[in-house]
Amino acid sequence: MKNITLLGATGSIGKSTLSVVDQHPGQFNIFALSANTNWQAMLNLCQQYQPVYAVMTDEISAEKLKTALDNDTQVLSGEQALCDIASHQQTDYVMAAIVGAAGMSSALAAAEAGKRIMLANKESLVLAGDIFMDAVKNSGAQLIPVDSEHSAIFQCLQGGRSGLSKIQLTASGGPFLHTPLNELQSITPDEACAHPNWSMGRKISVDSATMMNKGLEVIEAFYLFNLVPEQIDVVMHPQSIVHSSVYYEDGSTLSQLGNPDMRSVISYAMAYPERISSGVEPLDLANNSPLEFYVPDLEKFACLRLAFEALKQGGNAMGTINAANEVAVDAFLNQAIGFLDIPHVIEQTLEQTNNTVLGDLDAVIANDQTARNIATKIVTKYA
Ligand SMILES: NC(=O)c1ccc[n+]([C@@H]2O[C@H](COP(=O)([O-])OP(=O)(O)OC[C@H]3O[C@@H](n4cnc5c(N)ncnc54)[C@H](OP(=O)(O)O)[C@@H]3O)[C@@H](O)[C@H]2O)c1
């Protein structure tokens, strides 16, 4: 029986993880759960799964949960409590599924403690890729990607890296793949969140619509698979059936295919190197044809171009674009700026930040804060 600490339990990945756990009651046990403010959903989860710990990052929500709960679950609050449950001696596996930079410290705590980290929080690698990968190496942690593209590549590479020439991430293009650039400014948050294939949280849904999600994934892949930027390619694939591909020098390409449902990816991370049922329907290729592929339009999807630029700049640039994007997406979701202002905020934040090397976590956090301050000022220009 493996004890799971599920960070971000009330989110989209959190729910899918619990769905896989429900299907394998003898194999996985929910040891600890976390959320931010949604104490009502957490109350239900605590009643159902009876975890030893429940962490609400927000203190007031923790108090409300404590008052409402009538079982033995210990309710904690704050960022340190997240790190404590992630590195707890009784935790075997950590699902790192908090959204945004807020998920970095706890994912890093799991890495330092040598856990199996099932990493959905790509921001950990975008902000602190070198520090994170060093922690994994030094502690002997097992890092398993929980992003459909990276899981696909991880699965393809099980046969080895000999002769690897490049990887290719597929991108659905989100809801606006065929929308002309001049129609994008008036897009509403609900339209941006209506992803044609994947059901996800609102922030990542907007990131998919701008293709910043793919940009963050390019950076994530750079660290996970120890590549140079030139070895990372992106292809548009609206059906989201081919989850990504690995190209070899002999002309061979390996791809991983499946229906777009994160439970396949999550169950793989939980059972690795075995495979277990996930509740996902088998792929019916004949009913999914034709499968289409296009070269991405980097003028329309400027966020993807900016992510490649940040990766090439290196140092703090990747954390800077991530922070600027979080500020811009939040402003967009609150209808303070338009859809096409998101890349403008990111580009100007990058221009206004000095390119430096980030040696430790304090420097990563300071850069994140600086970039947020700059981006917040830029947002007011567009608001
Ligand atoms: N959804 C997908 O299909 C998918 C696929 C690949 C990768 N990912 C990655 O997985 C991560 C989670 O995505 P998601 O779609 O599941 O997000 P989501 O549905 O928005 O859920 C986010 C979770 O994080 C918690 N949270 C939010 N802000 C927090 C904070 N400041 N401190 C602590 N916890 C906080 C939320 O708690 P409350 O409910 O209390 O707010 C919730 O449990 C992201 O990094 C995303 O890029 C997602």
Side-chain angles (χ1 to χ4, degrees):
M1 182 77 99
K2 295 295 181 192
N3 271 342
I4 296 186
T5 285
L6 172 50
L7 305 172
T10 49
S12 162
I13 293 286
K15 285 176 194 146
S16 295
T17 303
L18 292 169
S19 159
V20 177
V21 168
D22 291 346
Q23 295 170 57
H24 302 277
Q27 220 172 323
F28 304 105
N29 172 55
I30 293 297
F31 174 70
L33 295 171
S34 94
N36 186 25
T37 55
N38 193 349
W39 65 271
Q40 294 97 331
M42 184 61 110
L43 177 62
N44 291 334
L45 295 181
C46 287
Q47 281 160 345
Q48 187 177 349
Y49 293 97
Q50 311 268 328
V52 177
Y53 297 104
V55 176
M56 301 303 300
T57 314
D58 175 60
E59 216 169 300
I60 295 167
S61 307
E63 282 309 316
K64 288 183 177 159
L65 178 65
K66 230 182 254 183
T67 308
L69 202 59
D70 59 1
N71 67 13
D72 290 338
T73 298
Q74 286 185 52
V75 180
L76 307 171
S77 75
E79 176 122 3
Q80 185 54 47
L82 288 179
C83 297
D84 291 345
I85 58 169
S87 58
H88 196 286
Q89 207 193 346
Q90 283 174 266
T91 294
D92 297 308
Y93 294 176
V94 175
M95 171 59 79
I98 290 174
V99 65
M104 180 184 66
S105 304
S106 47
L108 187 59
E112 286 168 343
K115 305 297 182 191
R116 172 178 291 197
I117 312 144
M118 305 184 281
L119 188 68
N121 180 266
K122 59 194 83 179
E123 295 86 351
S124 299
L125 289 175
V126 173
L127 265 76
D130 287 324
I131 296 169
F132 196 91
M133 295 310 287
D134 280 350
V136 168
K137 205 164 122 194
N138 294 336
S139 70
Q142 249 185 333
L143 179 56
I144 309 201
V146 176
D147 221 343
S148 61
E149 298 76 1
H150 305 75
S151 175
I153 291 161
F154 185 83
Q155 292 180 48
C156 291
L157 288 177
Q158 292 302 305
R161 292 179 64 114
S162 171
L164 169 73
S165 55
K166 72 167 186 180
I167 64 162
Q168 187 175 57
L169 305 177
T170 47
S172 69
F176 311 131
L177 175 62
H178 300 298
T179 310
L181 180 61
N182 61 8
E183 289 178 20
L184 289 181
Q185 182 64 357
S186 56
I187 291 299
T188 65
D190 283 347
E191 285 169 329
C193 289
H195 197 284
N197 308 336
W198 295 95
S199 160
M200 306 181 286
R202 280 173 82 75
K203 192 264 177 184
I204 185 176
S205 295
V206 176
D207 286 350
S208 294
T210 62
M211 284 196 73
M212 178 49 99
N213 184 49
K214 205 53 51 185
L216 299 178
E217 287 178 6
V218 167
I219 299 168
E220 184 185 7
F222 169 81
Y223 285 111
L224 275 175
F225 304 114
N226 194 20
L227 301 163
V228 294
E230 293 70 25
Q231 284 179 297
I232 308 171
D233 189 16
V234 173
V235 69
M236 310 303 289
H237 169 47
Q239 291 78 20
S240 299
I241 294 293
V242 175
H243 294 149
S244 278
S245 306
V246 174
Y247 287 67
Y248 291 94
E249 283 168 4
D250 64 1
S252 296
T253 303
L254 296 187
S255 304
Q256 186 262 343
L257 285 72
N259 284 318
D261 187 322
M262 287 304 289
R263 289 176 301 169
S264 294
V265 175
I266 291 164
S267 65
Y268 183 77
M270 283 165 60
Y272 176 81
E274 309 294 328
R275 288 188 187 262
I276 54 173
S277 58
S278 66
V280 178
E281 289 293 310
L283 183 60
D284 179 353
L285 269 179
N287 274 321
N288 276 287
S289 62
L291 296 181
E292 300 162 285
F293 301 91
Y294 310 107
V295 174
D297 176 347
L298 294 184
E299 192 197 351
K300 180 166 141 187
F301 296 112
C303 288
L304 179 59
R305 169 180 61 79
L306 290 167
F308 269 111
E309 278 175 26
L311 178 60
K312 283 179 187 150
Q313 278 186 35
N316 62 339
M318 296 167 277
T320 299
I321 61 157
N322 180 69
N325 180 56
E326 286 191 23
V327 170
V329 170
D330 190 54
F332 169 71
L333 284 171
N334 288 306
Q335 296 180 308
I337 65 172
F339 185 75
L340 288 179
D341 298 329
I342 296 173
H344 292 145
V345 171
I346 298 167
E347 186 148 32
Q348 287 172 33
T349 307
L350 195 57
E351 282 165 6
Q352 291 179 31
T353 316
N354 294 327
N355 190 219
T356 54
V357 173
L358 301 173
D360 57 27
L361 202 55
D362 287 344
V364 169
I365 292 166
N367 181 68
D368 179 68
Q369 196 51 56
T370 305
R372 278 170 202 274
N373 294 343
I374 295 171
T376 303
K377 277 193 197 136
I378 297 169
V379 158
T380 56
K381 281 199 319 193
Y382 290 97

